[in-house]
Amino acid sequence: MKNGFSILLTLVAILGMSVCAFAQDANNDKAKTVEIAIARPANKALPVTAKKLPQYLDEDLVKQHKAFRSFARVKISALNRNHRFSRSRMVVTKMADGTYKARYHVIAPESMVCQVRRSKSKTVPYVGVLSYKEKIFEASGATAKEARKAQFHTVKVIPNRHIFCYKNGWK
């Protein structure tokens, strides 16, 4: 009886939050997704430890995820700045028909996705995965100067994934 009442109370709370979220979304142009999770141990006899704790309740993991996102933003900025074919070092080639094609690469910061998980290693407690999309832009012109100044468009998107280890900081 008591367990059924707590489930009913939880469902009423979820419904209330959903209605509030829907009312707020009605005022905004863009709808937002609201995710709600309920934590209930499957076996009450087993205690919940940090290793068994759900990710959204693990405060250390949330802290490391925030630190990793900050590290990843700096990393993407450095990758863009140092890329061999960045906009400042774009490649201009003369085509067979006499026109010129300019090409450069850029990593879209908005495509960044970060994931952090606990590791089973004692020396590396966390592992972070950084995923992003690298875009290749091209433009054409009658001269090399015109090609550099022309309207660029995306010709290819390359997905990338990097794995980082946390050992006294993200590296």
Side-chain angles (χ1 to χ4, degrees):
M1 178 77 176
K2 188 176 182 181
N3 196 14
F5 179 72
S6 65
I7 292 173
L8 179 64
L9 188 60
T10 303
L11 290 174
V12 169
I14 291 170
L15 181 62
M17 285 188 271
S18 299
V19 168
C20 289
F22 181 76
Q24 288 176 347
D25 288 344
N27 295 336
N28 296 340
D29 291 338
K30 295 180 181 177
K32 297 175 186 168
T33 303
V34 178
E35 293 183 22
I36 299 173
I38 301 171
R40 189 173 68 187
N43 187 349
K44 293 181 182 178
L46 296 174
V48 177
T49 63
K51 290 183 179 180
K52 296 178 187 173
L53 197 63
Q55 287 186 353
Y56 63 92
L57 292 177
D58 189 346
E59 291 179 13
D60 290 334
L61 189 62
V62 170
K63 181 178 153 188
Q64 288 304 324
H65 189 271
K66 185 176 178 183
F68 183 68
R69 282 188 60 80
S70 177
F71 165 80
R73 279 190 214 102
V74 172
K75 190 72 170 173
I76 284 180
S77 175
L79 287 170
N80 269 331
R81 185 176 53 253
N82 298 325
H83 199 290
R84 188 171 132 198
F85 300 116
S86 66
R87 186 166 187 137
S88 62
R89 292 184 286 275
M90 75 175 69
V91 177
V92 180
T93 54
K94 188 171 185 175
M95 306 305 288
D97 63 355
T99 62
Y100 289 84
K101 179 175 73 172
R103 174 183 258 195
Y104 70 91
H105 296 227
V106 68
I107 297 169
E110 67 275 0
S111 70
M112 178 181 82
V113 176
C114 297
Q115 296 174 328
V116 177
R117 293 195 177 111
R118 286 189 180 275
S119 170
K120 292 181 182 178
S121 169
K122 293 185 193 254
T123 57
V124 179
Y126 300 99
V127 175
V129 179
L130 169 62
S131 302
Y132 60 85
K133 292 184 171 101
E134 180 179 347
K135 294 182 178 182
I136 300 175
F137 290 92
E138 281 186 0
S140 299
T143 65
K145 190 173 184 178
E146 283 181 22
R148 287 180 188 272
K149 302 284 185 193
Q151 181 71 31
F152 283 86
H153 58 278
T154 306
V155 293
K156 190 173 183 182
V157 177
I158 304 168
N160 286 276
R161 181 174 290 161
H162 298 272
I163 300 172
F164 296 92
C165 297
Y166 179 88
K167 189 172 184 179
N168 299 326
W170 288 103
K171 297 177 170 99

